[in-house]
Amino acid sequence: MRVLAHFVPGDKVLEFLEPHADWLDVRFCAEDDDNTFHHELPEAEVIWHVLRPLSGDDLVEGSRLRLVHKLGAGVNTIDVDVATQRGIAVANMPGANAASVAEGTVLLMLAALRRLPELDRATRAGAGWPSDPTLGETVRDVGGCTVGLVGYGNIAKRVERIVVAMGGEVLHTSTGDDGHPGWRSLPDLLAVSDVLSLHLPLTDGTAHLLDADALARMKPGAILVNTSRGPIVDEHALVEALRSRRLAAAGLDVFAVEPVPADNPLLGLDNVVLTPHVTWYTADTMHRYLELAVDNCERLRDGRDLANLVNQVGG
């Protein structure tokens, strides 16, 4: 079975796959290597997809494709409609990266609350002593904060457990009142959260959910953390809120355009902590991804039902 894996493997990935080499022919391609991608695509039966968008044209070009398996949960980077029209199954891995993204979320939360990038730069420059007196007025403990979660799926619930263990109060919002005592409407959540963390998929209904009006409703001095999808936030409005210091800081793993353009004004702000969409990317998550990806390839090979399908194909 020919698989096009849209990422560069490390030694542990190759070691994991070696026992399956008698039936699984995995060809690797860096996400920014379009030449190799288009060379391999016509022969691929399966794509292990990460982030580089798969367009309808790509799916047409992949004339032998039977399965696109997202290494992760969000399938907004796949043209699922075209895949369905062409009889190509699309599957994902809900929850497989939840532990890693939750820890990465708290990492960004802490780094923003504790002004970590600024202190790191000052220490390296020999300017860390005497201590900045504003630290005692601005730096916060998670345990002293109200943390608001927008979305309440697998990742958000893991974040909740970590924050509660650190002494923080956690509230959340979701599609409707779920009966949980921590549920609040979005406007109420914006008004009371010291830290607002986003955990929801990108859809037509969530694009720019955090627009200028929503950001203006946030508690003055609050911190925004986004490890979900960049377009959920209006970046221009966010830049203005951070420049004016109405929001104290942001911790961002995702962006409206990825890779982030060099002229993105977020890159020039000293109250923003940035990572390149990698909170999911750990050895532990990759091991879980590979187990699930190989399992679905075995199911496809053996004619069994595929796991975690997001579309319906065939009769």
Side-chain angles (χ1 to χ4, degrees):
M1 180 177 292
R2 179 74 72 87
V3 175
L4 176 53
H6 214 171
F7 60 93
V8 176
D11 290 341
K12 289 183 179 179
V13 170
L14 298 176
E15 181 181 339
F16 180 92
L17 294 174
E18 198 277 332
H20 307 283
D22 59 329
W23 67 275
L24 201 59
D25 180 8
V26 183
R27 308 294 180 91
F28 293 94
C29 170
E31 286 205 282
D32 60 354
D33 184 356
D34 282 346
N35 289 334
T36 300
F37 176 76
H38 289 292
H39 175 74
E40 294 287 347
L41 183 57
E43 297 301 317
E45 297 172 79
V46 177
I47 293 178
W48 290 349
H49 168 70
V50 184
L51 288 172
R52 184 266 198 197
L54 276 176
S55 68
D57 289 342
D58 292 332
L59 296 171
V60 170
E61 187 179 345
S63 56
R64 299 184 62 204
L65 281 175
R66 301 166 66 193
L67 168 65
V68 174
H69 204 153
K70 167 73 177 190
L71 304 191
V75 295
N76 59 290
T77 50
I78 303 167
D79 193 327
V80 177
D81 289 339
V82 171
T84 304
Q85 292 166 13
R86 296 187 60 79
I88 301 168
V90 179
N92 65 351
M93 301 179 181
N97 65 10
S100 300
V101 177
E103 290 188 20
T105 298
V106 176
L107 172 70
L108 289 173
M109 202 178 288
L110 288 167
L113 282 169
R114 303 299 291 261
R115 292 167 53 181
L116 181 62
E118 177 186 346
L119 294 175
D120 178 85
R121 288 191 297 270
T123 305
R124 291 174 189 274
W129 291 270
S131 297
D132 181 345
T134 67
L135 294 177
E137 298 177 350
T138 57
V139 165
R140 297 291 308 277
D141 299 335
V142 169
C145 290
T146 297
V147 175
L149 307 175
V150 183
Y152 200 52
N154 290 320
I155 295 169
K157 288 173 181 174
R158 282 180 175 266
V159 171
E160 179 179 42
R161 290 199 292 271
I162 297 169
V163 171
V164 167
M166 298 175 76
E169 180 185 13
V170 178
L171 305 174
H172 72 271
T173 194
S174 50
T175 305
D177 188 342
D178 55 20
H180 190 286
W183 185 88
R184 299 290 186 275
S185 67
L186 179 59
D188 288 347
L189 194 72
L190 295 174
V192 301
S193 297
D194 300 298
V195 179
L196 190 76
S197 189
L198 306 183
H199 302 281
L200 63 171
L202 177 62
T203 66
D204 290 343
T206 63
H208 279 201
L209 180 69
L210 269 289
D211 58 12
D213 288 342
L215 292 171
R217 294 185 183 203
M218 288 180 63
K219 189 174 181 179
I223 286 169
L224 176 68
V225 176
N226 189 7
T227 55
S228 54
R229 289 294 184 268
I232 292 170
V233 179
D234 180 339
E235 279 190 0
H236 296 292
L238 177 60
V239 167
E240 291 307 310
L242 290 165
R243 278 179 174 161
S244 68
R245 303 286 170 162
R246 191 182 183 286
L247 293 186
L252 306 174
D253 185 54
V254 291
F255 305 89
V257 176
E258 298 177 358
V260 180
D263 61 353
N264 187 320
L266 287 168
L267 303 183
L269 299 179
D270 63 5
N271 55 342
V272 183
V273 188
L274 308 170
T275 53
H277 205 149
V278 293
T279 53
W280 63 274
Y281 200 12
T282 68
D284 306 281
T285 283
M286 284 303 298
H287 188 83
R288 289 188 290 268
Y289 279 178
L290 291 169
E291 286 182 327
L292 294 168
V294 170
D295 175 68
N296 246 4
C297 285
E298 288 178 341
R299 290 167 178 261
L300 187 65
R301 178 195 66 187
D302 299 339
R304 294 183 285 130
D305 290 342
L306 298 178
N308 297 315
L309 281 179
V310 301
N311 66 344
Q312 294 295 323
V313 295

